[in-house]
Amino acid sequence: MSYPQRSTGGMAAHPEMSEIRERLERTAASNGAIVIEGLLVLAGVYAAISPWVLHFSAAEPNITVNNLIVGITVGLIGLGLTTAPEAMFRLAWVVAPLGVWLLISPWVVTATHGARAGIIWNNCVVGAVTMLLGLAAMGLTIGVTRRAPR
């Protein structure tokens, strides 16, 4: 009984992989991608430090930890997209749901006693900006994969 031969090269040996890599590098080096990645880093840093900027860190420890973790995550994804776009471009799809989470987290995390208006406004604005930047980053990745030759 003969078994089919398995390729040991994986996707790296794919004949169109070099063209896909070149297209990804061109997209990642475009001005739009650089702006989106930089704004993602800034949005993540602001989300992480916002509890201390708006002074709700002591009053709301749960939302403070939430913003810190989500902000660091968004910032690291933005930094990863900037430094290693080939390895990180699929992770751009995670940013939009994180933005939605930032948007709804004041009601979910502080459900027992409710959040103050400043916390709600802060997270709604930062969440909406993060979600829009995530959608823009997703659009860049869609452009890379759709333009790939068949």
Side-chain angles (χ1 to χ4, degrees):
M1 178 177 256
S2 79
Y3 293 99
Q5 294 286 330
R6 287 192 175 197
S7 171
T8 58
M11 280 301 290
H14 194 275
E16 298 168 345
M17 198 55 157
S18 62
E19 187 175 336
I20 293 171
R21 278 194 186 110
E22 289 173 16
R23 190 168 284 126
L24 176 62
E25 288 174 12
R26 281 195 311 269
T27 302
S30 70
N31 289 338
I34 292 169
V35 168
I36 290 169
E37 293 157 357
L39 289 175
L40 269 175
V41 172
L42 290 176
V45 168
Y46 177 75
I49 66 169
S50 65
W52 292 276
V53 171
L54 297 176
H55 304 291
F56 63 84
S57 60
E60 301 286 347
N62 293 338
I63 197 81
T64 299
V65 171
N66 175 71
N67 281 18
L68 181 65
I69 291 170
V70 173
I72 289 172
T73 304
V74 170
L76 287 175
I77 291 172
L79 189 63
L81 287 169
T82 303
T83 57
E86 184 177 322
M88 299 284 290
F89 83 97
R90 285 194 172 96
L91 206 53
W93 290 73
V94 175
V95 177
L98 287 174
V100 172
W101 172 252
L102 273 173
L103 222 150
I104 65 171
S105 64
W107 292 281
V108 175
V109 175
T110 60
T112 56
H113 55 280
R116 294 181 307 173
I119 297 170
I120 292 171
W121 276 105
N122 175 67
N123 276 34
C124 284
V125 170
V126 173
V129 167
T130 303
M131 182 184 65
L132 290 173
L133 289 170
L135 290 173
M138 287 166 49
L140 291 173
T141 64
I142 288 171
V144 168
T145 56
R146 280 209 179 148
R147 284 178 277 193
R150 298 186 189 271

